[in-house]
Amino acid sequence: MDVFQSLEQGDSVLDLSRLDLDSVDMDGVSEERRRETTRLYLASNRLAVLPDALCLFANLQVLDVSSNGLELICEDVTRLTKLKTLIAKNNRLDAQSLPKDFGCLQLEVLNLSGNRFEELPPQCLKLRRLRSLSVGGNRLRAIPAEIENLTSLELLYLGGNLISFIPPELANLPHLSYLGLCDNRIQSVPPQLTRLHSLRSLSLHNNLLTYLPREILSLVHLQELSLRGNPLVVRFVRDMTYDPPSLLELAGRSIKSRNLPYSPQDVPSHLVNYLDMASKCPNPKCAGVYFDSCVRHIKFVDFCGKYRLPLMHYLCSPECSSPCSSAPQSDVDSEDESSVPADRLQRVLLGPLTEAPE
C-alpha cells in the first residue's frame, strides 16, 4: 500500500505515525507537497534511520520521530533551517547521536526524553532560542554549568535521571517558569535558585532532600511545589549541629556584638577582613553574630495553613532555638509563618502528581 495515496494537496501536515514502517521512501511525495508540509509525524514506527530526503522539506517546522529505534539523528536535519520543534523521545540516542552542527538549528522545543544520554550533549547547550528542553528518563549524572547559556528557556525537565547536584548556574535562566528535577538523587537545593523570579512550578519529588533553604520563601511567583517521596520528616526539626566556637570567633563575636570600633591601625588586615565577614543571627530577639561556628537548624514553616515545609536556617548558638515539643512554636517560628502570605504557594504537592509535560 502506498502511504502517500490519501494525501491531499494544501495540507501542511504529513502524518505517517503508527504505520509500523521500517523505512520511508519520500520519492512518493511530490515537490509541491514537500514545500507545503510544515509538520511531519513519523512517531511510533520501526525506523532505524531517518529518510534520506528529509532535508527536501524546506519549510518544515515540527518533526516528531518519537518511539522508533533511532540511534542517530542524521546530518540532513541541520539543513532544516525553519525547524522549531524536534521531538525524538523514546529512542536509542546517546552522546554520539547528534550531528556536529546540531547547535546551529533555530529550535525552540527539543524533547530527548527516554533515550540513553549520560550527559547533556554540548550541541544542545548552543541552542540559544530554546524555550523548552526535556531530557527526562535518561542516564544524566550532572547538569552542566553551561546550562546558563540557554537564556530563553522557559521549561526544563530533567526528571528520572541520576542527578545528585543542582549547579547554581541554573539560577541564571531569567524566563524559566517550570523546573522538573523529580526522580533523581538530589540532596540539597542551592539558595541561588531564588533568583528564578519567573519560576511557577518546581518539581522535586522522589529525591533525597532533607530540608529546603529558607531563601525559597522569596520565590514569590511559585504556585506549585512537589516534594513527595523525600525524607522530609519531623525528626529533622530537631536536627542541629553545632561546633563550639574557636577563641578567635569568641573574640570576634565580642567585638561585633559590642560594636567596638576597629581599623587596620588597630589590628592586622586579615583580622579586619575576618571581622567584616560576620553574619547576623536571624533571630530577631538576638543581637548576636557568628563567623564559622553556627547552629544548623531545620524548622518547619507553614506555607498555606495545611502543609509544613522544613527550611534550613543558621543561628549563632543553640540558645537561639527553642526545643521542639508539642508546645506552641517559638516567636521566631511564628514570625516566619505569619510573614508568608497564604497565596504564596497555591499548591504544595505531597500526593500524586500528573505526568511530566510532553
Side-chain angles (χ1 to χ4, degrees), residues 259-276:
N259 293 320
L260 298 178
Y262 59 88
S263 68
Q265 288 74 36
D266 304 316
V267 294
S269 58
H270 71 278
L271 292 179
V272 172
N273 294 334
Y274 178 79
L275 290 169
D276 290 342

Side-chain angles (χ1 to χ4, degrees), residues 106-148:
Q106 303 300 308
L107 287 178
E108 296 180 359
V109 177
L110 176 61
N111 191 329
L112 296 174
S113 292
N115 281 286
R116 300 176 178 179
F117 291 100
E118 296 184 0
E119 61 182 23
L120 274 178
Q123 299 97 313
C124 295
L125 300 172
K126 297 179 181 179
L127 298 168
R128 301 302 179 93
R129 296 191 180 185
L130 205 61
R131 295 187 294 106
S132 174
L133 175 61
S134 299
V135 197
N138 279 270
R139 304 168 184 174
L140 304 180
R141 296 185 177 275
I143 304 173
E146 292 79 8
I147 194 73
E148 67 181 355

